[in-house]
Amino acid sequence: MTSMSLNMVYAVRATQEADVYNIRCNITDYLGASYDTDYCSRPDDTVGVNPLIRQWLLDNSGFQIEPYIPPDPPTEDELRQRMPSLTARQFRLGLVNADISPSTVTAAIAGMPAGSEQDKAQIEWEYATTFNRLHPLIGTVGTALGLSDTQIDALWVAAAAL
């Protein structure tokens, strides 16, 4: 078993935490394998290659550290993608808690134009064991019930806690 080595540092980027850096570097690990990697270096980490990185940072104080750039806030659709799936129980209880009877959903689906889309919606409503926030059925039924995306989101969040 060999000792670890820091072969090259390509980039150092600050993080939102003081004195914590993301390092793009090339290392040789304990097994002797060399490769490029991303490494998060913390000042109190005394394990692995981190002591070598911390020493390198001291020895190369003139190396340009890229500033931390916070990520863009997620869009509404990205937030909706992250919403958990609901079980059929959670979804139906969430509707009831929002004063929406499951029979109202059944009626909204029955009010859709006859055809395969209505049939698919009916099958989803009757047989799905889980519901995803961005599934087309949710938007279709929500619109038929006069619910905005914000109202559906609130219902979803409340139902997820059931």
Side-chain angles (χ1 to χ4, degrees):
M1 184 162 73
T2 63
S3 62
M4 294 192 76
S5 63
L6 177 64
N7 305 320
M8 172 91 55
V9 173
Y10 304 116
V12 179
R13 180 179 298 261
T15 67
Q16 62 188 10
E17 297 178 61
D19 206 27
V20 176
Y21 303 101
N22 288 323
I23 313 291
R24 180 74 182 147
C25 58
N26 181 280
I27 66 168
T28 301
D29 66 20
Y30 289 118
L31 300 175
S34 294
Y35 48 88
D36 290 341
T37 188
D38 292 314
Y39 194 92
C40 182
S41 176
R42 298 183 170 281
D44 55 349
D45 182 0
T46 61
V47 179
V49 73
N50 196 62
L52 299 172
I53 289 173
R54 296 317 278 198
Q55 186 60 53
W56 186 92
L57 288 168
L58 287 172
D59 294 344
N60 294 276
S61 59
F63 190 87
Q64 182 176 352
I65 297 175
E66 299 171 24
Y68 170 70
I69 300 171
D72 291 334
T75 64
E76 288 183 4
D77 278 342
E78 289 170 336
L79 291 172
R80 288 184 184 112
Q81 285 176 335
R82 296 176 189 168
M83 288 183 168
S85 296
L86 299 179
T87 65
R89 175 191 156 277
Q90 287 173 307
F91 186 51
R92 286 175 169 79
L93 286 174
L95 289 168
V96 170
N97 287 346
D99 294 324
I100 300 169
S101 169
S103 62
T104 305
V105 174
T106 301
I109 293 170
M112 293 173 65
S116 66
E117 292 305 311
Q118 182 193 44
D119 293 341
K120 289 176 187 177
Q122 187 65 38
I123 290 167
E124 290 287 345
W125 172 243
E126 290 182 12
Y127 300 106
T129 57
T130 59
F131 292 88
N132 297 311
R133 173 62 185 90
L134 292 179
H135 190 282
L137 174 69
I138 304 305
T140 300
V141 171
T143 299
L145 297 176
L147 298 173
S148 69
D149 280 335
T150 303
Q151 290 170 311
I152 296 170
D153 293 344
L155 184 150
W156 207 268
V157 170
L162 296 174

